């Protein structure tokens, strides 16, 4: 049903949205808000955390390499990330636009992404249709959240292993304790949401990901939103930013 409505909306909108980059610390709500953007615009969510967890679950060589790093809350190497992200962005469903959730996460990744988009998306000499030539530059949205609220969001997060719906035992509890409202599955806790790993993830964010916001701020491409509000209020701010971005571009 959700997919049907997403595709109906996409058909209704039927235009280029371009890349949407969500920046924010662990627990800021990047995944939660990505799902709202998917519903509104019908463009795919590309979560590098989900892509890595999928490699870990399948036991690929990349997954084996990433597993221990993720378990410590550290960042996987830039070189490993480039391959995963490049192949995902080349898939057909990214043509109208895509949401990057968790990438870029270092200043080097941000520079790599600019070069990749310039080369593969904006290089008009290599485009084959007028629609592709209309691609718009990324809109970069920074989610600002108070530190104590982040801790509540991370320590309380639960997810449904069947449908992927997110809950929070402190802030957005399911109707029945630890069970998904939609399909009754037993909710699970992410491996890296343990207290000792959370502090490593927040440190990695401060040291390695905060400079990414500076990178985009200097280029005047960063739009900050107050993400310390309800999910619906944050969504309204984000959709407003994307709509204005697309409108300004087409005006
Ligand atoms: P990743 O999966 O990207 O994790 P993260 O960035 O730490 O972000 P989270 O998924 O924890 O939080 P979120 O912002 O999506 O919040 P959510 O919506 O879930 O990365 C995991 C690991 O993979 C990294 O540590 C690293 O090792 C590796 N990795 C990934 N990308 C990489 C890269 N580019 N380079 C190198 N390594 C990489 O919400 C959290 C909770 O809050 C939920 O319970 C939700 O219900 C609740 N919530 C959300 N919004 C609200 C709200 N407005 N009000 C109340 N509750 C809310």
């Amino acid at each position: 049903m959700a997919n049907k409505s997403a595709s109906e909306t996409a058909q209704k909108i039927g235009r280029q949205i371009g890349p949407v980059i969500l920046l924010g610390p662990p627990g800021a709500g990047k995944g939660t808000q990505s799902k709202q953007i998917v519903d509104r615009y019908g463009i795919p969510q590309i979560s590098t955390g989900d892509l890595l967890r999928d490699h870990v679950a399948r036991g690929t060589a990349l997954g084996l390499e990433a597993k221990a790093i993720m378990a410590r809350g550290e960042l996987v190497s830039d070189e490993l990330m480039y391959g995963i992200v490049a192949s995902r962005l080349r898939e057909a469903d990214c043509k109208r636009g895509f949401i990057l959730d968790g990438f870029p996460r270092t200043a080097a990744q941000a520079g790599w992404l600019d070069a990749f988009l310039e080369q593969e998306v904006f290089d008009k000499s290599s485009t084959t249709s007028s629609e592709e030539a209309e691609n718009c530059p990324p809109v970069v949205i920074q989610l600002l959240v108070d530190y104590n609220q982040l801790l509540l969001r991370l320590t309380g997060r639960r997810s449904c292993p069947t449908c992927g719906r997110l809950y929070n035992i402190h802030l957005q509890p399911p109707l029945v304790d630890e069970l998904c409202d939609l399909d009754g599955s037993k909710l699970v806790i992410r491996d890296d949401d343990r207290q000792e790993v959370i502090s490593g993830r927040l440190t990695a964010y401060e040291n390695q990901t905060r400079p990414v916001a500076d990178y985009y701020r200097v280029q005047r491409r960063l739009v900050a939103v107050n993400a310390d509000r309800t999910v619906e209020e944050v969504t309204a701010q984000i959709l407003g930013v994307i709509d204005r971005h697309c409108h300004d571009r087409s005006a």
Side-chain angles (χ1 to χ4, degrees):
M1 189 65 187
N3 280 346
K4 184 165 175 267
S5 94
S7 103
E8 280 170 357
T9 309
Q11 279 174 12
K12 207 164 53 190
I13 292 173
R15 57 180 160 84
Q16 298 297 110
I17 304 300
V20 176
I21 298 174
L22 291 185
L23 282 186
K30 303 182 294 297
T32 301
Q33 294 302 328
S34 293
K35 288 177 177 45
Q36 307 300 319
I37 303 171
V38 169
D39 280 351
R40 172 76 177 86
Y41 298 106
I43 56 175
Q45 169 193 11
I46 297 170
S47 157
T48 44
D50 285 349
L51 292 174
L52 288 168
R53 281 184 286 277
D54 179 56
H55 274 277
V56 171
R58 289 189 286 121
T60 65
L62 194 153
L64 292 175
E65 197 169 331
K67 187 175 180 178
I69 300 169
M70 294 171 77
R72 293 193 297 270
E74 296 169 6
L75 295 189
V76 172
S77 74
D78 291 339
E79 287 65 32
L80 274 190
M81 297 311 302
Y82 298 155
I84 306 183
V85 172
S87 60
R88 181 64 188 88
L89 293 184
R90 287 183 183 126
E91 287 180 30
D93 63 339
C94 292
K95 268 203 153 126
R96 284 181 54 249
F98 47 84
I99 307 151
L100 281 171
D101 158 9
F103 189 95
R105 233 173 168 105
T106 62
Q109 290 181 10
W112 175 89
L113 180 66
D114 272 347
F116 179 87
L117 294 177
E118 188 65 33
Q119 180 65 35
E120 305 223 4
V121 180
F122 298 117
D123 180 2
K124 295 190 174 63
S125 64
S126 70
T127 57
T128 52
S129 76
S130 57
E131 187 189 56
E132 281 172 293
E134 283 170 16
N135 273 314
C136 66
V139 54
V140 186
I141 302 175
Q142 182 185 32
L143 306 182
L144 302 175
V145 185
D146 168 75
Y147 184 81
N148 290 326
Q149 174 72 197
L150 286 180
L151 292 182
L152 272 184
R153 290 187 185 182
L154 290 168
T155 55
R157 173 165 49 193
R158 302 289 183 274
S159 64
C160 174
T162 308
C163 70
R165 181 164 174 176
L166 286 174
Y167 296 87
N168 190 291
I169 56 166
H170 309 303
L171 305 163
Q172 299 172 308
L175 296 171
V176 179
D177 207 17
E178 300 293 340
L179 297 182
C180 179
D181 294 351
L182 300 180
D183 53 43
S185 302
K186 175 123 180 61
L187 302 180
V188 295
I189 303 179
R190 230 168 78 175
D191 281 349
D192 58 356
D193 277 346
R194 287 172 292 119
Q195 197 86 49
E196 63 277 19
V197 187
I198 287 173
S199 59
R201 289 164 63 202
L202 291 169
T203 302
Y205 176 80
E206 284 303 323
N207 294 339
Q208 291 165 276
T209 309
R210 221 175 250 293
V212 176
D214 299 333
Y215 175 93
Y216 289 120
R217 190 178 296 111
V218 167
Q219 299 178 13
R220 306 174 77 86
R221 288 155 70 189
L222 188 72
V223 184
V225 304
N226 178 358
D228 233 336
R229 305 264 180 94
T230 65
V231 170
E232 295 73 21
E233 287 168 335
V234 179
T235 303
Q237 294 179 70
I238 290 175
L239 298 185
V241 171
I242 298 171
D243 281 343
R244 276 195 298 281
H245 178 75
C246 293
H247 179 266
D248 290 349
R249 179 180 51 90
S250 61

